[in-house]
Amino acid sequence: MDVQYKRTNLSKRVNALQPCAQRYFQICNWIMMRRLMQKLWKLVYDTYGSKTGFLRFWYYQCLLKAGVFNQQGDCLHRQPERPYKRLVFVCVGNICRSPLAEAYAKSLGVEAASFGLSCTEGFPADPRAIEFGRKVGLDLLSHRTVNVVNFRIREGDLLIGMEPKHTEKLVSLFRLSIPITLAGMACRKPIAYIHDPYNCSKSYFDRCETTVLDAVRGILDQKAN
């Protein structure tokens, strides 16, 4: 009887603990999933800048793989057949991507300029862009923002946008009188979209600026060939 009683009592205790154990494992699984998601989002933010950057990057990559940016009738993004004299880099604010590209092209002995599609005149480059430039031997301290409305286009210019929406805006402004292309198309691994690093993590900022340098080198290699 004593043995039977003890077995019955132990069984009751085990049954009473089961909900607690299940709750404990649920909490552990939730914590593990949360940590996994945190690592995943950190990877997204460090690689693409933001969730929006991630979605836009792969959306435009799909279009690139489908040949949208290489079609004969599409004015966007093909390198011009006629020679060009000046590289003109374009982004939104003219403080992160385009000024670095301009400075790098000039450092390689190429005539270059830059402007923003939506910026206020006369502001310096982003401090992080200045710091990144300093690390790679480029001086962005003298850079001042220029708005597209005050930029003088010249014959022989090649306009280079960082995103498809930039080139679309350029086409609406200048039609097809000036050759227009995407910076990322000249990268070692061609990409259609370079996300704006403004308000992004330092990891992505440096990654973005490195991509810009790669694009400039690719454009100059294409010009040389």
Side-chain angles (χ1 to χ4, degrees):
M1 292 294 292
D2 290 343
V3 174
Q4 183 65 28
Y5 173 78
K6 289 181 179 180
R7 288 179 177 176
T8 302
N9 192 37
L10 178 61
S11 178
K12 289 181 178 179
R13 291 182 178 180
V14 170
N15 291 335
L17 289 173
Q18 280 184 348
C20 295
Q22 291 176 350
R23 181 61 176 168
Y24 171 77
F25 285 117
Q26 288 175 350
I27 293 173
C28 289
N29 288 335
W30 179 80
I31 292 174
M32 291 176 62
M33 286 300 297
R34 183 177 181 181
R35 289 178 177 175
L36 179 61
M37 291 303 297
Q38 287 175 340
K39 290 181 179 180
L40 177 61
W41 286 126
K42 185 178 187 306
L43 178 62
V44 168
Y45 278 77
D46 288 348
T47 305
Y48 302 99
S50 67
K51 288 180 279 188
T52 299
F54 170 81
L55 294 173
R56 287 180 179 173
F57 178 88
W58 287 109
Y59 169 73
Y60 288 120
Q61 280 305 100
C62 289
L63 295 182
L64 175 62
K65 295 297 183 182
V68 171
F69 299 137
N70 294 314
Q71 294 174 0
Q72 183 68 26
D74 194 336
C75 55
L76 300 177
H77 326 123
R78 290 185 300 110
Q79 287 288 337
E81 297 178 357
R82 64 179 184 270
Y84 46 85
K85 300 177 182 178
R86 183 175 66 163
L87 302 179
V88 182
F89 298 95
V90 183
C91 64
V92 176
N94 196 214
I95 59 173
C96 296
R97 293 167 290 181
S98 56
L100 181 77
E102 176 190 355
Y104 186 47
K106 286 180 176 178
S107 75
L108 298 176
V110 177
E111 187 177 2
S114 67
F115 63 81
L117 294 170
S118 179
C119 66
T120 305
E121 293 271 334
F123 279 81
D126 187 290
R128 293 169 298 172
I130 294 174
E131 177 62 18
F132 182 89
R134 185 189 63 78
K135 289 180 180 179
V136 296
L138 301 174
D139 184 7
L140 273 67
L141 289 174
S142 61
H143 173 78
R144 292 296 180 269
T145 55
V146 177
N147 190 284
V148 60
V149 298
N150 295 318
F151 187 83
R152 185 181 296 276
I153 298 293
R154 303 195 313 228
E155 184 177 355
D157 282 349
L158 170 62
L159 302 184
I160 306 165
M162 301 294 165
E163 306 173 25
K165 68 177 183 180
H166 298 167
T167 51
E168 291 167 5
K169 178 66 174 178
L170 292 172
V171 168
S172 70
L173 291 172
F174 304 108
R175 303 302 174 186
L176 297 181
S177 59
I178 299 293
I180 299 167
T181 190
L182 275 170
M185 295 290 284
C187 290
R188 284 169 292 180
K189 294 182 178 181
I191 59 176
Y193 179 80
I194 302 176
H195 187 65
D196 190 349
Y198 191 71
N199 285 333
C200 293
S201 69
K202 185 180 185 305
S203 296
Y204 176 72
F205 195 98
D206 291 348
R207 183 185 183 91
C208 173
E209 297 292 65
T210 300
T211 302
V212 169
L213 298 184
D214 183 30
V216 174
R217 284 193 296 268
I219 291 170
L220 296 183
D221 288 343
Q222 290 175 357
K223 181 179 180 180
N225 295 330

